[in-house]
Amino acid sequence: MRAAPALLLIAAASPALGRTPPQEAPEVIVIGTPLKAPPGTPAYGSVVIARDRLTSDASGRVETILLDVAGFQQFRRSDSRSANPSAQGVTLRALGGNATSRALVLLDGVPISDPFFGHIPFNAIVPGQLGAVRVTRGGGAGAFGAGAVAGTIDLQSAGRGDLPRLNAAADYGSFDSVRVEGSAGPRLSGGFVALSGRWETSGGFFTTPPEQRVAATARAAFTNWSASARAIAPLGPETEMQARVTLYRDDRTLRFTGADSFAQGQDASVRLIHRGRWQVDILAYVQARDFGNKVVSATSFRQTLDQRNTPAMGIGGKVELRPPVGGTHLLRIGGDLRYAAGTLAEDAFSGATGLLTARRGAGGRIINAGLFVEDDWTLGPVVLTGGVRLDRWAIGGGFFREANAAGATTVDRAFADREGTEMTGRGGLVWRVAAGAALRGAGYTGYRLPTLNELYRPFVVFPVTTQANAALAPERLHGGEIGVDLAPWRGVSLSITAFHNVLAGAIGNVTLGPNLRQRQNLTAIVARGVEVTGNTQRGAWSLTASYAYSDSRVRQDGAVNGLRPAQSPQHSASTTLRWAPRDGPALSATLRHVGAQFEDDSQTDALPAATTVDAAAQLPVGRRIALSLRAENIGDARVVTRNAGGSIDLGTPRTLWIGVRLTP
């Protein structure tokens, strides 16, 4: 059985079965953190990545660390150094590859997906500034839950106790790669400020395999930077204000000389938290984003498309109240609003002559407003949880225009405005059947609106053209899961979850003919499987492991019925062994495996299975200085990230780093 090695790995991480973790200790209030997670959260298969893991991965990238979570995947296997920025969608549970995120990703409660494309700007997130990541799988119903058809990834900033007053690091690696980052965390009048910045540049590796390289082939060079400021100000013994500003810019070259892209953003948010008898969480945010991309022909090696810019604006907020309804209940009521608007401007050129052939523009707006209520009811060893959402959405202002080289309009389409109402909900329970064993179960529904990108923007990944579709309907999910959480003794845990999800109207890239696809609503994607997570800690040693088996199938009239969705592996596994004695060196090694998957819906272009090994070491050489050694893909495994009719891209090869860390 192919799953056997991964299951044995989990067994090694959890050698005996018996107890769940003890009841949670009373909440310790730490400023700069969110309100306490509801007690029913574990009913939905919640997984937490702790800060020590976030700061010890060889890649130093959030999207790579998230691969520790069973069932997590990006649209492609590339990380944010060698993927097109607009392809950085994330999902869970093999619900089908899509460059738009099917998982809701939050940073301190704020949705961070791009307002136009729906992708996640991973290069703007510095793992060292995070305190924890909570991944909750399954359809969402709480704040901003309208987009959480696959689950929610909640990135939580580090609190004052986790942040050094001053920190700096510099690394040099393969392909003339340089990374410099620093942070400062001054304490001010009972609050604190967290300032951070990171700059990276690299000559890049060849994503094109040697047998397909030509004179125009280029390395995946990149330069990116991000800067953020987060301020926490107490307004009283139970009230605080949290504010954040983030700026970033990301420039990349992919495959051919001149095939350049950029992504940039300016995000700001403010959040008020009150921890009194009436608990309150109010936030508001604004996002200004832009993206540009140049496409180069794989035959003439001339530029065929210049997507000059795609300015987009996101505005939103939420109000959440937790009234005092009794010690056994935690009631959450509130509402949220999300507004997204954006346009694209691009020029098309002849691949043969390089002359301008057309100018295009497209765009629109989406509004989603929701009301939600959730309650967690603790009845001794049982916690019951349930919630509902009522959403009103509107899609409007959609257009697509094209003019020829002379400026004469050849296409002018205005798409009809649409609106609708959705009712979704979820419910579950956690039953601590004994001092060390908990059973859980949950059922849920959810929905996701198509993005402006899916509705209005066609794109080309040579030689395949994918058409937009302004008539796309929302995706709607219903599903359920059962699971068991076991803790044989202190420091050892094992979680097993079986799930069955149906994503009706899943948006996929459907093949219409040779080198032509269109975004369409499929009848459904049916995903079922098993997720296993194990952890053990013995003194300075820790071992974490995860495995996901996902049997995901398309339900659709025609030849694709019964096939696996594009970009959806059946097997994935990850394990990390770490040795980190207090005030000493820290060593870790990570083994990851992703099973075979397919590039396209018709399963003609395969992406073979791949197994990689990473390692990292931090060696103190002074009281406040440490030497950092990191190695990615030590075995130089061939990781195929794209296969379009035999035209192949590869992921990160063996990459070695040396650096220094300074913590005054």
Side-chain angles (χ1 to χ4, degrees), residues 171-198:
D171 295 272
Y172 179 80
S174 304
F175 319 115
D176 284 332
S177 302
V178 178
R179 177 187 299 169
V180 179
E181 60 183 68
S183 65
R187 278 61 165 166
L188 303 172
S189 302
F192 69 95
V193 174
L195 306 173
S196 71
R198 181 170 68 176

Side-chain angles (χ1 to χ4, degrees), residues 258-348:
D260 303 326
S261 67
F262 78 86
Q264 63 183 22
Q266 303 87 39
D267 295 0
S269 64
V270 62
R271 187 179 194 181
L272 176 70
I273 289 183
H274 177 68
R275 295 184 171 91
R277 289 187 69 246
W278 279 78
Q279 296 187 14
V280 179
D281 186 353
I282 303 173
L283 68 82
Y285 69 87
V286 60
Q287 303 165 327
R289 305 281 181 86
D290 200 0
F291 170 79
N293 185 55
K294 295 180 179 180
V295 178
V296 171
S297 168
T299 53
S300 68
F301 310 112
R302 294 179 181 271
Q303 179 177 296
T304 58
L305 185 71
D306 181 7
Q307 187 176 337
R308 301 192 308 275
N309 61 339
T310 315
M313 177 71 71
I315 301 173
K318 78 160 185 178
V319 176
E320 178 183 322
L321 305 177
R322 298 184 179 185
V325 292
T328 61
H329 285 272
L330 195 159
L331 178 64
R332 305 167 61 205
I333 56 176
D336 57 70
L337 174 69
R338 298 176 72 175
Y339 170 84
T343 58
L344 71 87
E346 64 182 28
D347 298 334

Side-chain angles (χ1 to χ4, degrees), residues 65-212:
I65 299 168
L66 284 168
L67 291 170
D68 289 1
V69 178
F72 172 86
Q73 69 175 98
Q74 294 192 87
F75 173 52
R76 297 194 184 277
R77 296 172 174 180
S78 306
D79 64 27
S80 55
R81 292 168 291 188
S82 60
N84 189 286
S86 65
Q88 292 176 186
V90 299
T91 191
L92 298 158
R93 293 185 166 167
L95 285 175
N98 194 312
T100 297
S101 290
R102 288 194 167 112
L104 172 66
V105 183
L106 305 172
L107 176 59
D108 295 331
V110 176
I112 62 171
S113 61
D114 185 86
F116 191 94
F117 293 94
H119 69 265
I120 308 303
F122 281 116
N123 274 340
I125 304 168
V126 180
Q129 294 300 301
L130 299 177
V133 176
R134 180 184 293 274
V135 180
T136 304
R137 292 167 288 212
F144 301 117
V149 292
T152 301
I153 299 173
D154 186 7
L155 309 172
Q156 300 172 8
S157 290
R160 179 169 59 183
D162 291 325
L163 294 173
R165 292 180 181 270
L166 188 65
N167 183 61
D171 295 272
Y172 179 80
S174 304
F175 319 115
D176 284 332
S177 302
V178 178
R179 177 187 299 169
V180 179
E181 60 183 68
S183 65
R187 278 61 165 166
L188 303 172
S189 302
F192 69 95
V193 174
L195 306 173
S196 71
R198 181 170 68 176
W199 176 80
E200 297 179 291
T201 189
S202 175
F205 59 89
F206 283 110
T207 60
T208 307
E211 65 274 13
Q212 296 185 1

Side-chain angles (χ1 to χ4, degrees), residues 57-61 63-65 79-82 171-175 177 179 200 202 205 222 588 590 592 611-616 629-637 639 651-658:
D57 187 73
S59 71
R61 320 196 78 78
E63 67 271 26
T64 304
I65 299 168
D79 64 27
S80 55
R81 292 168 291 188
S82 60
D171 295 272
Y172 179 80
S174 304
F175 319 115
S177 302
R179 177 187 299 169
E200 297 179 291
S202 175
F205 59 89
F222 67 86
S588 67
T590 299
R592 292 193 177 96
T611 302
T612 60
V613 178
D614 298 344
L629 302 173
R630 297 183 288 121
E632 302 177 65
N633 193 2
I634 293 174
D636 203 21
V639 182
T652 305
R654 181 190 297 116
T655 304
L656 306 178
W657 296 86
I658 185 170

Side-chain angles (χ1 to χ4, degrees), residues 417-609:
D417 294 352
R418 295 182 284 152
E419 59 185 26
T421 302
E422 302 285 339
M423 176 74 78
T424 57
R426 65 179 180 177
L429 67 86
V430 180
W431 177 23
R432 293 182 173 87
V433 297
L439 300 178
R440 51 185 165 79
Y444 33 76
T445 62
Y447 87 102
R448 180 185 75 86
L449 291 171
T451 62
L452 297 170
N453 175 55
E454 292 169 318
L455 291 165
Y456 306 125
R457 172 187 171 254
F459 69 95
V460 177
V461 178
F462 193 89
V464 179
T465 297
T466 301
Q467 300 175 339
N469 185 351
L472 289 171
E475 299 178 336
R476 296 179 175 88
L477 175 118
H478 64 272
E481 62 192 72
I482 57 173
V484 58
D485 298 327
L486 303 160
W489 51 75
R490 185 176 180 180
V492 177
S493 64
L494 175 69
S495 296
I496 304 173
T497 303
F499 65 90
H500 185 281
N501 286 180
V502 178
L503 186 63
I507 298 171
N509 298 332
V510 176
T511 299
L512 303 180
N515 298 330
L516 181 63
R517 299 173 188 161
Q518 185 188 47
R519 299 185 183 99
Q520 294 183 6
N521 289 106
L522 305 174
T523 300
I525 292 175
V526 179
R528 54 191 169 220
V530 177
E531 300 157 341
V532 186
T533 301
N535 301 274
T536 186
Q537 176 116 27
R538 290 289 183 272
W541 291 93
S542 65
L543 178 66
T544 64
S546 68
Y547 167 72
Y549 168 76
S550 305
D551 182 16
S552 183
R553 303 289 171 176
V554 173
R555 296 290 179 260
Q556 177 85 348
D557 291 339
V560 300
N561 186 57
L563 301 182
R564 281 159 46 194
Q567 308 290 340
S568 299
Q570 280 192 313
H571 302 276
S572 61
S574 174
T575 187
T576 296
L577 177 65
R578 188 166 185 259
W579 179 64
R582 187 172 181 179
D583 299 326
L587 309 174
S588 67
T590 299
L591 170 70
R592 292 193 177 96
H593 174 80
V594 59
Q597 58 198 74
F598 294 95
E599 175 79 24
D600 59 330
D601 60 315
S602 58
Q603 296 192 2
T604 56
D605 297 324
L607 307 178

